């Protein structure tokens, strides 16, 4: 058997386990100026909502130690413009396309997914029940097991392709939410979304974000994400997409050992847009030197004390 | 729009312009031949002490030698670390990025209004205009800053031959006052054939924007914003537009039409 | 009125708002080799348990991006040896001494605090209901409002000096736990303890900690701590001691604006043992340039959007 | 125990010893006069790319000139960054830290066993023994490493005049094999008047420890551990003791009596 980076999630085959994370690669156009999107295992779009959203006023990002805060506020073109203007471009790329969906109510999630169910050109939906930057919806769903199960169940009724549920780290026990998503019928779990945080400008005495708080991402949160992936891997049968602070191939191996079958790269795309390409190159070399045939042989192979 | 290139040139020349200003020339830069005035590059500092890249307007290029120059002032941590890099340091530069200044027609009066570190892209614009055949003496270059120490590259500007008006807040060189004052007088003498180009601190841009709108003068402003990605994917750098929408400073900008942005 | 860094918490006056955090300054002896402890507002001891504990086997720390993981596992001499061997040294320092107490059961917390109540030489107890590194107790208390209220109430019955309750960040809503601690009779809240996280050695495929996971601390977590302090300040009347990633005086101002009346410095002591001294120097200069008479004028003065 | 000092000397001399080994001399170091063989300093790299300080044994001092030398090999990120510092760089050094080697009595046979980068503190010990009047030729210095490239400072050792036995695993210089082999023969010829001193990789220390215990020979081992604080407050660097307890490598160690630590 020849070396392969291929991974399969819920029956969908990915050329490699590296996806770009929601909100960190727009709808793909800008990134495709930097490298051909075929180099990616998959691309996850910015969160799509029923209606277009401007998001919060600037400033809506801030730099932190080994990371950043953002409170973009789900700025997006809305599902109809997305289907009309963005899907055609994405459908033409030879990579897996995952549409991330957010909503302020179960009905909104369901309606967006229903409309998406009618169109081709993408492979999966990722349900964002973990956005820390909106008042209604988002994290509110992802921190309540009952709501989680309900929104997943309702969406599964209207959307027939595989469904990824994206979990929030800002909960007491993420395995409970993971279990609820599984019970609702999720096919795959992705984790983690950003961690609630803030920063203050001591000169103006104002928060550095107009939303007063935001989501912390980047290498700073990698240890948190790894612990949560490991915990959910032990409790839950669904495949896991690891997210949080991934910036190099070694990080991907760490996540896979903890139980992730694939990963998403977010903030690192800002620091170095070529990160995914560098990672897949590194992983290929790793397979070679480790005499492994497939990355699947790593998943969950952490040897705990 | 040109596709941005991820490149690893070296810091070829490091000129200390005094008073915390530096000119850095990088080579070989694949992007050198593609950068137009107004566009910027996004630089990853070779340290993890600052997390994001930092954006710098292109100040000049030498396409033949594949050289690209930026000029910066030490402001915070990022620029301080940048200033400490040794000659020869390997850089990581993404560019060209963003929108460009539109060259004026020959029959337009070009008025360039630079404030502080807003100077470099306008110097590059002036230089390119001249290269394209625009008469140097007809480029009205208003250059304002707090004091003498913030007025850089005077001999270079003299060589270019533009019609230079220097204004400082403390009067330590040139006229005393705000740069928008002589600009206003000039606009009052010249009609709508003027094309305004401006880059500098936000209050100055706002004043220029207002001056121009009141007189229905067209032109462009180059804006700044904190830029996590610099190439359009994060939506972090948006500014509100007068039509109620948002635009990304890194993609639709940094150069916007006068009147477009709600300043 | 002359400039002062003095702050008062639950009636106890501190010379300045800078304390060294539990587990990051031992029982004070080693730190006193580096600077006189009088330079501190206060010192919080390593967590004390009923019986001596060796803690987890090494490795029990790991370096991360702008931070570290630890799973020391509450290694300490036990309350009796602490009272016999450590208090005499601490009692002689002219700084406020806070004894941090941990336990595996309500009874253990109560018993340790009862024994401490009988001795002089320290000013307050800080109840660690948030240690992520032990199987029983610790974080288990700090993530359950009922248990939190109960342990605080029981301890208050046997300990007559002021009681600080130290909160865990690894909960869905920290304001609920803060409320429970207040209801139980806490005098002061301190937050945050470390955030659950892990790291993997990809060569050995083992966790970098024998405890498999640990607590993330250092500048990486500062945004998380700030957001939690701000949230609790809005909901709760108790004074707050801010903890998490503090390394310079600007960080202290950020925490105070968010609502902290004082702070603790932990991990930064490892990177630079002189951090507290540098911070108080910076704060004095800040008062001068800002024309403020007291740091109290900053507390909670964040101007939210 | 001497109190550690937080100090900001400069990197005065930087010697490239080849094959990723470097000798760095810092000055002025307030601690220089206080560092005894076996003690270490904890160095903050002037970058935020690695978070913790890094520990290095003192390799020599010149108290009069307030100079302090360390010798290190590039191993991971920390030492790589250290190796890239320019001469003159301002350092942040905490020390002296940890326990010391106890000098042997005149009538003891001193056997020093160094493995790889465990060499510097033993070189310092030998030098100090000689300074204190111990006859150089009676210092049995066994120096083992993987290959020739890992044997450094040979001429310096020759000057010291110790009885040097070099052992490499590949035989590229000196004896071929493990350093513990000739040590064992030596111990078999000399009795309990021997004092052993060893520093190096853990398997070697374990072997030395066992050799000595079997023969009831006394001596000391210098250990390594990841050290978040280096001065005893974090409890991160502990090693298990044979009596069931834990000891801090940074405080009770790095120098422990043979038999003390459960290796
Ligand atoms: C298009 C463009 C062109 C520019 N051209 C020039 C030029 O030619 N010459 C020049 O001197 N300067 C230029 N700047 C400004 C330059 O990029 C630096 O950001 C600025 O000088 C700040 O300096 P610093 O990095 O030293 O400050 P720092 O103190 O390090 O940063 C300033 C503050 O902004 C925050 N910040 C910095 N970058 C980001 C970001 N990307 N996202 C969120 N927060 C951020 C930091 O956290 C900090 O709070 C330009 C900026 C833009 C956007
Ligand atoms: C007492 C003592 C004396 C030493 N003397 C010398 C000497 O004379 N010469 C020499 O070359 N080396 C010496 N070392 C080793 C040196 O300190 C470096 O740690 C070692 O070389 C690792 O190199 P690095 O920092 O480049 O590796 P890195 O790859 O940067 O670090 C190695 C690994 O250890 C982890 N790590 C590093 N430091 C810590 C820490 N403090 N806490 C937790 N994890 C940590 C890192 O995260 C990484 O996983 C000594 C160590 C000790 C404890
Ligand atoms: C600027 C920015 C915008 C984001 N927008 C979204 C979003 O719209 N929907 C979503 O599910 N996650 C969003 N995220 C979260 C990321 O997808 C990812 O979960 C998180 O950034 C952690 O990964 P990282 O550390 O690799 O960035 C956003 C993150 C950033 C930094
Ligand atoms: C090595 C280490 C040991 C710690 N031990 C304790 C402890 O025994 N009890 C406790 O309440 N907190 C303990 N903490 C948590 C700190 O007191 C503090 O809450 C945390 O480190 C966050 O602050 P920092 O980012 O400034 O380090 C420990 C932290 C570290 C790094
Ligand atoms: S900086 Fe990311 S979109 Fe402009
Ligand atoms: S390194 Fe902190 S106690 Fe030894």
């Amino acid at each position: 058997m020849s070396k392969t980076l291929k991974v399969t999630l819920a029956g969908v085959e990915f050329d490699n386990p590296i996806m770009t994370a929601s909100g960190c690669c727009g709808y793909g156009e800008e990134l495709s100026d930097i490298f051909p999107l075929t180099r990616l295992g998959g691309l996850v779009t910015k969160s799509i909502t029923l209606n277009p959203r401007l998001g919060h006023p600037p400033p809506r990002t801030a730099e932190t130690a080994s990371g950043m805060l953002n409170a973009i506020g789900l700025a997006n073109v809305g599902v109809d413009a997305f289907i009309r203007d963005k899907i055609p471009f994405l459908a033409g790329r030879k990579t897996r396309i995952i549409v991330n969906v957010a909503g302020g109510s179960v009905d909104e999630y369901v309606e967006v997914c229903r409309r998406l169910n009618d169109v081709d050109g993408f492979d999966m939906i990722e349900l964002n029940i973990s956005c820390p930057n909106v008042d209604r919806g988002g994290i509110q769903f992802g921190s309540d097991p009952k709501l989680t199960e309900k929104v997943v169940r309702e969406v599964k009724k209207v959307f027939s392709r595989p469904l990824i549920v994206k979990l929030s780290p800002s909960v007491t026990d993420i395995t409970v939410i993971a279990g609820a998503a599984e019970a609702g019928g999720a096919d795959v779990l992705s984790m983690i979304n950003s961690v609630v945080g803030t920063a203050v400008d001591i000169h103006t005495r104002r928060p550095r974000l107009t939303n007063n708080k935001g989501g912390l991402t980047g290498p700073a949160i990698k240890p948190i994400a790894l612990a949560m992936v490991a915990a959910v891997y032990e409790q839950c049968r669904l495949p896991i997409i690891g997210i949080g602070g991934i910036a190099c191939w070694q990080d991907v191996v760490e996540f896979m050992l903890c139980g992730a079958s694939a990963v998403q790269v977010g903030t690192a795309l800002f620091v170095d847009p070529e990160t995914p390409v560098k990672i897949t190159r590194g992983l290929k070399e790793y397979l070679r030197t480790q005499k492994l045939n497939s990355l699947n042989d790593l998943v969950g192979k952490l040897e705990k004390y | 729009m040109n596709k941005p290139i991820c490149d690893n040139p070296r810091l070829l020349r490091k000129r200390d312009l005094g008073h915390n200003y530096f000119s850095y020339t990088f080579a070989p830069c694949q992007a050198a031949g593609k950068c137009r005035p107004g566009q910027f590059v996004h630089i990853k500092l070779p340290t993890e002490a600052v997390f994001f890249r930092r954006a710098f307007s292109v100040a000049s290029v030498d396409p033949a030698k594949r050289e690209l120059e930026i000029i910066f002032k030490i402001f915070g941590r990022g620029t301080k670390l940048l200033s400490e890099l040794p000659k020869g340091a390997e850089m990581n530069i993404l560019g060209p990025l963003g929108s460009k200044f539109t060259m004026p027609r020959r029959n337009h009066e070009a008025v360039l209004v630079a404030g502080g570190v807003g100077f470099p892209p306008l110097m590059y614009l002036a230089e390119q205009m001249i290269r394209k055949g625009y008469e140097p003496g007809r480029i009205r270059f208003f250059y304002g800053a707090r004091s003498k120490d913030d007025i850089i590259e005077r001999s270079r500007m003299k060589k270019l031959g533009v019609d230079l008006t220097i204004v400082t807040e403390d009067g330590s060189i040139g006229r005393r006052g705000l740069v928008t004052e002589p600009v206003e007088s000039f606009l009052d003498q010249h009609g709508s054939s003027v094309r305004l180009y401006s880059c500098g601190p936000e209050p100055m841009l706002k004043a220029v924007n207002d001056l121009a709108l009141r007189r229905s003068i067209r032109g462009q402003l180059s804006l700044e914003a904190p830029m996590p990605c610099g190439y359009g994917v994060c939506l972090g750098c948006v500014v509100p537009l007068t039509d109620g929408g948002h635009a990304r400073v890194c993609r639709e900008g940094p150069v916007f039409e006068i009147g477009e942005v709600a300043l």
Side-chain angles (χ1 to χ4, degrees), chain A, chain B:
Chain A
M1 214 180 99
S2 72
K3 314 272 173 206
T4 174
L5 294 183
K6 281 195 204 309
V7 297
T8 302
L9 296 172
V12 178
E13 194 182 76
F14 292 73
D15 269 355
N16 66 60
I18 315 301
M19 311 175 207
T20 51
S22 180
C24 304
C25 55
Y27 310 110
E29 291 128 327
E30 299 84 0
L31 203 59
S32 76
D33 280 350
I34 300 200
F35 58 79
L37 298 185
T38 46
R39 305 289 290 274
L40 293 176
L43 178 148
V44 186
T45 69
K46 176 79 192 160
S47 280
I48 306 296
T49 53
L50 189 56
N51 298 309
R53 288 175 60 104
L54 262 189
H56 298 302
R60 52 193 199 177
T61 64
E63 206 177 16
T64 67
S66 295
M68 67 177 283
L69 288 161
N70 89 80
I72 304 296
L74 298 181
N76 79 99
V77 297
V79 67
D80 294 332
F82 173 73
I83 291 172
R84 189 182 62 232
D85 304 335
K86 306 298 179 184
I87 288 253
F89 171 84
L90 289 168
R93 306 306 109 187
K94 285 205 190 67
T95 187
R96 295 298 176 184
I97 303 298
I98 294 159
V99 180
N100 181 297
V101 171
S105 64
V106 174
D107 287 349
E108 184 177 348
Y109 280 105
V110 170
E111 184 53 29
V112 175
C113 294
R114 189 200 310 281
R115 294 192 197 178
L116 284 166
N117 195 50
D118 294 337
V119 296
D120 282 339
F122 72 98
D123 300 284
M124 294 179 165
I125 280 180
E126 179 179 66
L127 223 52
N128 175 5
I129 56 164
S130 45
C131 180
N133 296 324
V134 285
D135 285 344
R136 287 178 328 113
I139 209 166
Q140 176 193 314
F141 285 89
S143 56
D144 179 335
K146 289 214 188 73
L147 267 177
T148 298
E149 185 174 339
K150 177 159 185 207
V151 70
V152 174
R153 192 183 304 283
E154 296 301 320
V155 164
K156 279 299 282 184
K157 289 184 188 156
V158 301
F159 184 71
S160 54
R161 272 160 278 179
L163 185 69
I164 305 169
V165 176
K166 183 167 181 180
L167 304 182
S168 164
S170 300
V171 294
T172 305
D173 185 351
I174 198 170
T175 66
V176 172
I177 311 293
E182 187 172 19
D187 301 290
V188 180
L189 299 173
S190 63
M191 68 183 69
I192 56 176
N193 209 320
S194 55
V195 185
V196 177
T198 196
V200 174
D201 183 332
I202 66 168
H203 305 295
T204 62
R205 299 193 179 177
R206 313 200 83 178
R208 286 191 185 275
L209 304 164
T210 57
N211 189 45
N212 296 316
K213 60 185 180 174
L216 180 66
T217 63
I221 67 165
K222 193 183 74 170
I224 303 173
L226 283 170
M228 291 191 165
V229 167
V232 170
Y233 181 77
E234 281 189 3
Q235 303 272 325
C236 194
R237 282 150 189 277
L238 298 181
I240 298 169
I241 303 173
I243 321 173
I246 295 173
C248 60
W249 68 262
Q250 290 92 335
D251 294 340
V252 176
V253 175
E254 280 194 74
F255 271 90
M256 295 193 115
L257 290 169
C258 286
S261 299
V263 299
Q264 293 176 15
V265 175
T267 306
L269 291 168
F270 308 160
V271 177
D272 182 355
E274 290 181 322
T275 305
V277 178
K278 289 179 181 166
I279 287 179
T280 47
R281 202 181 299 142
L283 288 175
K284 261 185 211 144
E285 177 64 15
Y286 178 71
L287 283 188
R288 206 182 56 72
T289 57
Q290 296 289 303
K291 302 193 171 42
L292 289 170
N293 280 322
S294 158
L295 286 173
N296 297 318
D297 299 343
L298 294 175
V299 179
K301 288 298 184 314
L302 184 67
E303 200 188 311
K304 293 184 77 174
Y305 283 95
Chain B
M1 184 174 292
N2 285 324
K3 294 187 178 184
I5 299 167
C6 287
D7 210 0
N8 294 289
R10 291 194 178 270
L11 173 49
L12 179 71
R13 268 193 307 278
K14 177 172 171 168
R15 278 195 301 138
D16 187 339
L17 307 178
H19 304 101
N20 291 328
Y21 285 86
F22 292 85
S23 151
Y24 275 21
T25 302
F26 308 107
C29 268
Q30 294 181 55
K34 306 188 172 173
C35 295
R36 302 285 166 262
Q39 291 192 299
F40 68 96
V41 291
H42 216 197
I43 299 188
K44 170 90 188 86
L45 288 165
T47 156
E48 280 155 76
V50 296
F51 188 68
F52 288 137
R53 289 171 180 258
R54 294 293 191 262
F56 296 94
S57 300
V58 177
S60 82
V61 293
D62 185 331
K65 296 188 181 155
R66 300 209 281 169
E67 293 177 7
L68 186 155
E69 182 195 14
I70 64 164
I71 292 177
F72 66 93
K73 184 187 180 180
I74 296 181
F75 175 82
R77 260 178 15 134
T79 42
K80 179 84 172 63
L81 287 163
L82 186 61
S83 75
E84 288 164 359
L85 292 185
K87 211 180 119 173
E90 194 184 304
M91 307 297 301
N92 182 320
I93 295 185
L94 179 68
L97 294 162
S99 59
K100 314 155 195 183
F101 286 119
T102 324
M103 295 281 171
R105 291 216 213 102
R106 290 280 165 90
N107 60 340
H108 284 149
E109 293 288 335
V111 175
L112 281 56
V113 187
V117 284
F119 167 77
L122 293 177
M123 178 182 73
Y124 185 29
L125 175 63
E127 198 227 315
Q128 288 292 305
M129 283 167 62
I130 295 166
R131 185 162 301 180
K132 295 260 157 76
Y134 200 97
E135 193 186 314
R138 280 186 53 231
I139 300 176
R140 321 297 176 176
F141 200 113
F142 295 89
Y143 185 4
R146 199 157 299 167
S147 83
K148 195 179 173 202
D149 295 345
D150 291 293
I151 300 290
I152 54 169
E153 297 286 50
R154 270 184 289 154
S155 61
R156 192 168 173 183
M157 290 302 285
K158 227 172 235 160
K159 251 198 225 147
L160 271 185
V162 299
D163 176 16
L164 182 65
T165 307
I166 288 174
V167 190
T168 54
E169 288 175 38
D170 64 0
S172 52
I173 188 176
R175 265 182 73 134
R176 185 202 198 96
L178 294 175
V179 68
T180 39
E181 292 156 9
V183 170
E184 183 155 19
S185 324
F186 184 90
L187 295 182
D188 286 339
Q189 285 157 37
H190 297 76
S192 61
S193 70
V194 165
R195 281 293 175 276
L196 258 173
Y197 300 90
S198 187
C199 183
E202 211 175 289
M204 186 200 87
L205 290 182
K206 194 171 155 43
V208 170
N209 194 58
D210 292 348
L211 284 180
L213 286 180
R214 260 184 272 128
R215 292 170 179 77
S216 302
I217 289 172
R218 287 172 53 190
Q220 294 175 316
L221 308 177
S222 177
L223 266 63
E224 283 195 13
M227 289 187 174
C229 76
Y231 61 101
V233 294
C234 75
L235 308 184
C237 63
V238 293
V239 283
L241 299 181
T242 43
D243 75 3
H246 277 169
R248 294 167 295 184
V249 174
C250 74
R251 190 89 177 176
E252 286 76 52
V255 176
F256 291 95
E257 295 300 317
I258 278 173
E260 205 180 350
V261 176
L263 284 166

